[in-house]
Amino acid sequence: SAQIADLQQKLLDADNGDRAKQRWDSIATILEAKCALKYLLGELVSSKVQESKLQSGLQQSQASCSDVQKMLMEERNHVAELEAEFQNQILVQEQQHQEKV
């Protein structure tokens, strides 16, 4: 019975896939063709709108990433300046210590 149920489910799935293909293949009148074309154009418009939204989001993300990279470089430069200043202070301290000794 499990095998029968499995085979029935496979038949239903195959039938559903064939129905969609048959629906497009069985367009016989101008009215049906108009309806199909209207549906396809609606899907095209929908996908174009979605594409433009995704493209806009991508551009915003790229701009944000660029800003973060710029900020990171500024911070690295600042850290490098602080490190150089710190090393200079250490050198001065060591010289003062040597003079005292």
Side-chain angles (χ1 to χ4, degrees):
S1 65
Q3 288 177 340
I4 291 172
D6 186 42
L7 288 174
Q8 286 175 339
Q9 184 62 41
K10 286 181 182 179
L11 282 173
L12 285 174
D13 292 342
D15 191 36
N16 286 339
D18 288 342
R19 276 190 197 152
K21 187 174 189 271
Q22 285 175 355
R23 192 174 292 155
W24 291 108
D25 290 342
S26 68
I27 292 177
T29 66
I30 296 294
L31 181 61
E32 289 175 343
K34 274 180 142 179
C35 289
L37 189 58
K38 189 175 182 178
Y39 171 77
L40 289 174
L41 288 175
E43 289 296 311
L44 176 65
V45 168
S46 174
S47 66
K48 286 288 187 180
V49 167
Q50 186 178 6
E51 179 198 14
S52 68
K53 285 180 182 178
L54 291 173
Q55 191 71 20
S56 175
L58 175 64
Q59 289 173 351
Q60 288 177 352
S61 295
Q62 287 174 335
S64 176
C65 180
S66 177
D67 291 344
V68 169
Q69 286 177 336
K70 182 180 176 184
M71 195 168 59
L72 178 63
M73 288 303 296
E74 290 173 357
E75 290 299 319
R76 284 182 178 169
N77 290 338
H78 183 65
V79 167
E81 290 172 3
L82 289 176
E83 189 174 342
E85 184 181 323
F86 180 68
Q87 291 295 332
N88 192 23
Q89 287 178 357
I90 289 176
L91 185 63
V92 167
Q93 294 271 336
E94 287 177 352
Q95 288 175 349
Q96 288 176 354
H97 178 68
Q98 290 296 328
E99 289 174 3
K100 285 182 182 178
V101 170

